[in-house]
Amino acid sequence: MSEREQILGRIREALRVAAPKPGLLSGPGQRVPAHEKRPTDFRPWLPAVGDSFDERAALFAKNSAELKTDFQLVANRNELQEKLLALAHAEGWKKIATHAGELTNYAFAVLGLAVVQTGGRYNLDELESSDAGITECDALVAQTGSVVVTTRSAGGRALSVLPPHHVVLARRDQLLRDLPAAFTALKQRYGSGYPSMMCLITGPSRTGDIERILVLGAHGPKKLTIFCM
Amino acid sequence: MNTVAQTFKETARRMTRDLRHRSWIQSALGKYYVGRDEKKARFQNWQEARQAAAEIKWDAVNHLDKHLEEFVSKIEARGTKVFWASTGQQACDYIVNVAKKHRVRSIVKSKAMTGEEIHLAQALEKSGVEVVETDLGEYIVQLREEAPYHIVFPAMHLTRHEISDLFNKKLGSAPTDSPEELTMIARRTLRKKYCAADMGISGANFAVAETGMISLTTNEGNGRLSTSLPRIHVALIGIEKVLPTLDDLALFLPMLATAGAAQAVSCYNTFIAGPRQEGEPDGPNEFHVVLLDNGRTRLLADAEQRDTLHCIRCGACLNVCPIYKNIGGHTYGTTYMGPIGSVLTPHLRGLAEWKHLSFASSLCGACSEACPVKIDLHHHLLQNRRNAIRCKSPWWEKLIFKGFVILMNYPLLYRLGVKFGWLGQKFHGLVKGTRLDPMIAWTQSREAPPLALKTFKDYWRGRKS
Amino acid sequence: MKISLFIPCFIDACYPQVGISMVKVLERLGHQVDYPEDFTCCGQPAFNSGYWDEARAVAEKVLAMYRNAEIIVGVSGSCGAMMMTFYKELFHSTPLEAEAKAHAAKVWEFSDFLVTKLGVTDVGAKFPAKVTFHDGCHGLREVGLKKQPRALLAKVQGLELVEMDAAESCCGFGGTFSVKFPMISTAMGEVKCDSALKTSADYIVSCDSSCLMHIQGLADRQKKPLRTMHLAEVLAKQ
Ligand code: SF4
């Protein structure tokens, strides 16, 4: 018998005795009635999010401030161009990395800097030495201040995590309300064939491993900038 | 008494006297408590969320065969190689072989408690491969050649000065007392390792059955780099990690972060569905998932404690445990420390040798209250105690409790006993604190309460007459 | 309402004034109390040590003794928890399971009984002192005592309550744990004493004499200026 069959066999054997339902022994302060069926809608318990775009944007901005993400709403392409140029100047970018996309192509065009494209095979050292990685995304999540990226929407796996500064270009209609909405969106978009990697990025890379003191840029980007147009 | 228990007691004795350690851990966790409460308060209903999480895990674990098969068939369909391992040895052998076959020279490892559990790094190093831990805390304890102190904060017992000295000695960096600078030293060193590594190893926080994905949570980004750059990725996953649906992550990711690290959600939650797919620019060519049993099916067979397999390794129970805070993570001598470790280890490594951990608890229940998936931890400690006594109990203790039953079941005897005790107490002073003192375990650090001359029973009789 | 008391063994033997205080308060509120004199112990020491058969032998007698009781009120959060929560586990899948559940439903801890069942917070007590409250673990997490004792203390004339840091963390007693692992138990107790001392309260008050026994024993040995008092004693003061 294969190891697989043996393990599955042991599992089935073990499960012949039913386990008590969870929560029966909880103390009074923690006791809530058991649900008849295991729940699938978590919205009533998760952190609350308002319905309108403005509420979502305000919450996203609040979460961003807390996470030390630089979040900027921009009205149109002109404003995006201005802000991008200002950022490139302030940070002293010389080389950027990006991938093909409607917004990224535009950014690449206005910046006019040396560029590493991660569309096809690329040179890892070139990517590593880029000053910023500019990507698009699948969604922004107001509830948590997160960006959803996948290998398809954000130019592969490394682009959004290897360069020291990650810049996200998003559209207004991508700003979703909460995590359940984000997973629904991913399922709708990719249900027929998932990319090999999807990621929920929430703030720049961080660690607290030394004396529980927050330090940004442990391994991934030290900075995260999000432009939402 | 066996040696493991003896070592535990001796180390505990030393650690509990270490006042510097005591206040260090106390203050290290201080910020966590504040942050956790604040993040918990953002939930519209934390208790409901816990109950839901517990029910989902219950569903997952109690239909484990079905969910595992679904997970495997989905993830295999995208070209992932799945290996089933009954024991840690099998898992190590398999991974060592993959490394050999592909002539792997260096490996970057993202934090995986399963790796600690089966001593994977040691097995790989023995076969001549370099293994570098990439989680900053893990990297630090790896350089120190010691075990993690905590399942989430592996180096929380160390000061910046100790870390600076360590880096100075091992990496030749200039001494500094800035955590930021220390982190950057590690960043620079590890960057080179990522780019050069042939293989990345990770664990997984969840395995999603519905879509055939693993979910990997890190804050530093090391999880992403280790699974993006090397040409091979191996994920070592306990079989209990399955979650039925992708949507379930919408509940579990924020709960894991809130309970474990006082964050609303961790920085990188990465869902990996396979090796590099057609049309993708990067990512490993091969992706191996190793499903690890290593005693988990034995625990599954114990219906009473099956919920222990719900554990999402958030570490919340450690953070609130007064035992953990006083004796520290290394004293346990186990892979999983704190309350979950005390419940789990007897199952994974044998009750006879590890039962002392279940007795080393005041049963305060702070762990069960903190657990986001509502594992009845302190009840399980009680059950472990019962099971341990059933197997084997010291004759003198058995005698004491037989005596206890007789004393308590014959009220007259009980009353006489109390009077006798009152009398005996008069002479206690003669032996108090010496080896002849029958109460030495109490009196060596505490005064004993005096027995009353007139008990409540006496008072009640007096009232009636 | 006929109230049957349960007075745990160590309160009977070491702290009778705690039981007597409870009787006084209940009678002051006009209730009749009854005490089954044959009650000795709830069986917790054996249960917590893993000797469930022995614990059951003692607990069976307890069930029989209170079979006809209407309401059972006890003066210890810990022993209360034993009867309310752990009896159900102890008698799980035994012929007495149903009775254990019925029994559990009748048991009240003193402060919970006053506040939740009787709706009383002012028992006419007067005690001019500064006190801090220690939440005994069993009372807090198994019985749900948090607001009740504080509501009662708030109505005691002249009393000032100051909360200590980590009032909810365990004092380290833990029954037989305190003698099996005295070093850990003592360290936990020291942490508790330190946070109590920081409040400069005159008394540590709690619903559990067992915690207080441990805290007082430790404070006395280390010559720390701490005094402990059970909530019932505070409420009996006039
Ligand atoms: S037992 Fe619960 S609290 Fe402890 S690590 Fe596991 S999930 Fe977290």
Side-chain angles (χ1 to χ4, degrees), chain B residues 5 8-10 12-14 16-17 19 22 26 304 320 322-323 325-327 356-357 359-367 369 378-380 382-383 385-387 389-390 393-394 396-399 401-402 404-412 414-415 418 432 439 441-461 463-464, chain C residues 5 7-16 18-20 23-24 27 33-59 61 85-86 89 92 137-138 140-142 168-170 172-188 190-191 194 210 213-214 216-218 220-222:
Chain B
F8 174 81
K9 278 200 166 182
E10 276 155 26
R13 201 164 290 128
R14 183 163 48 77
T16 48
R17 284 199 195 123
L19 297 185
R22 188 189 292 177
Q26 212 89 349
E304 196 177 43
V320 299
I323 317 292
K325 285 193 276 180
N326 277 294
I327 66 174
H356 59 280
L357 294 180
F359 285 96
S361 162
S362 64
L363 302 172
C364 74
C367 48
E369 182 184 51
H378 69 294
H379 292 270
H380 296 334
L382 276 163
Q383 292 152 0
R385 292 180 186 190
R386 177 201 62 201
N387 297 346
I389 295 303
R390 260 191 211 151
S393 61
W396 53 269
E397 199 181 73
K398 206 182 264 167
L399 209 65
F401 282 104
K402 293 276 175 243
F404 166 82
V405 175
I406 295 172
L407 192 69
M408 294 307 176
N409 278 354
Y410 294 92
L412 192 67
Y414 163 86
R415 293 179 64 119
V418 174
K432 195 171 101 177
M439 290 169 62
W442 180 275
T443 54
Q444 64 190 348
S445 61
R446 292 154 289 206
E447 296 298 329
L451 289 165
L453 174 58
K454 196 173 160 214
T455 64
F456 183 84
K457 288 191 192 295
D458 294 334
Y459 155 82
W460 192 260
R461 290 212 164 161
R463 254 172 66 117
K464 282 204 308 192
Chain C
L5 304 178
I7 306 290
C9 48
F10 72 100
I11 291 199
D12 170 58
C14 302
Y15 304 104
V18 172
I20 297 168
V23 174
K24 278 192 188 153
E27 287 183 340
V33 295
D34 179 40
Y35 173 57
E37 270 175 76
D38 283 351
F39 178 85
T40 53
C41 172
C42 61
Q44 184 166 199
F47 178 73
N48 280 1
S49 304
Y51 290 84
W52 287 27
D53 292 338
E54 287 74 6
R56 232 175 271 124
V58 173
K61 293 256 166 158
T85 310
F86 296 108
E89 241 179 303
H92 181 69
C137 299
H138 271 159
L140 174 71
R141 300 199 180 86
E142 315 292 347
E168 292 189 358
S169 74
C170 178
F173 173 62
T176 46
F177 165 74
S178 64
V179 289
K180 284 192 169 167
F181 295 90
M183 59 297 202
I184 310 178
S185 166
T186 301
M188 288 160 69
E190 285 170 0
V191 175
D194 288 347
S210 47
M213 167 172 83
H214 171 67
Q216 188 73 65
L218 196 63
D220 286 351
R221 174 60 57 83
Q222 303 193 347

Side-chain angles (χ1 to χ4, degrees), chain C residues 71-83:
Chain C
I71 264 193
I72 309 163
V73 180
V75 75
S76 157
S78 183
C79 306
M82 178 70 194
M83 296 184 174

Side-chain angles (χ1 to χ4, degrees), chain B residues 89-316:
Chain B
Q89 189 61 49
Q90 287 172 356
C92 284
D93 290 348
Y94 176 78
I95 299 171
V96 168
N97 277 334
V98 172
K100 275 202 184 126
K101 197 176 121 210
H102 290 89
R103 299 179 191 284
V104 167
R105 275 165 314 178
S106 69
I107 296 177
V108 280
K109 188 168 161 286
S110 164
K111 194 146 116 8
M113 289 311 291
T114 39
E116 299 286 335
E117 182 185 321
I118 66 170
H119 305 294
L120 176 61
Q122 288 87 327
L124 284 160
E125 276 162 2
K126 234 172 68 199
S127 77
V129 190
E130 183 198 43
V131 182
V132 185
E133 295 286 350
T134 57
D135 173 82
L136 178 57
E138 288 278 345
Y139 181 58
I140 292 167
V141 296
Q142 187 189 32
L143 288 179
R144 279 173 65 94
E145 291 168 39
E146 68 182 11
Y149 183 87
H150 186 287
I151 59 178
V152 178
F153 317 128
M156 74 180 272
H157 58 304
L158 299 172
T159 65
R160 61 184 80 182
H161 305 293
E162 286 165 309
I163 296 167
S164 169
D165 287 348
L166 176 75
F167 283 2
N168 177 259
K169 214 165 77 199
K170 299 268 171 158
L171 307 174
S173 59
T176 167
D177 61 3
S178 142
E180 163 126 38
E181 185 45 40
L182 288 166
T183 305
M184 290 310 134
I185 293 169
R187 178 183 167 109
R188 286 194 292 271
T189 316
L190 289 170
R191 276 257 152 171
K192 295 190 197 113
K193 303 280 181 193
Y194 289 120
C195 292
D198 307 296
M199 182 191 268
I201 295 181
S202 75
N205 297 80
F206 306 101
V208 182
E210 177 193 32
T211 54
M213 288 172 194
I214 64 164
S215 170
L216 189 63
T217 298
T218 68
N219 270 313
E220 300 177 358
N222 58 319
R224 286 204 48 201
L225 288 167
S226 329
T227 58
S228 296
L229 306 183
R231 56 195 161 88
I232 306 158
H233 172 202
V234 178
L236 176 64
I237 307 172
I239 50 170
E240 82 283 17
K241 290 281 166 218
V242 288
L243 272 187
T245 76
L246 188 65
D247 293 329
D248 294 336
L249 291 172
L251 180 67
F252 279 88
L253 298 180
M255 290 191 79
L256 171 65
T258 299
Q263 289 175 290
V265 66
S266 310
C267 193
Y268 295 101
N269 285 294
T270 312
F271 319 121
I272 296 177
R276 184 168 75 90
Q277 302 290 292
E278 191 60 39
E280 291 178 347
D282 54 7
N285 300 324
E286 275 190 27
F287 178 36
H288 299 255
V289 166
V290 178
L291 290 172
L292 182 69
D293 178 345
N294 203 30
R296 286 165 174 78
T297 47
R298 206 163 46 233
L299 187 50
L300 194 71
D302 183 346
E304 196 177 43
Q305 296 195 30
R306 189 176 293 160
D307 67 346
T308 309
L309 292 169
H310 297 184
C311 175
I312 57 174
R313 307 276 187 267
C314 69

Side-chain angles (χ1 to χ4, degrees), chain B residues 338-369:
Chain B
I340 182 64
S342 300
V343 172
L344 208 54
T345 311
H347 292 273
L348 299 179
R349 297 195 190 171
L351 182 61
E353 216 181 354
W354 294 94
K355 60 173 188 277
H356 59 280
L357 294 180
S358 297
F359 285 96
S361 162
S362 64
L363 302 172
C364 74
C367 48
S368 308
E369 182 184 51

Side-chain angles (χ1 to χ4, degrees), chain A residues 16 22 28 44 53-54 79 138 158 171 183 207 227:
Chain A
R16 280 165 52 174
F53 176 83
D54 288 342
E79 199 185 340
D138 288 87
R171 290 187 322 268
F183 285 107
T207 186
F227 292 111

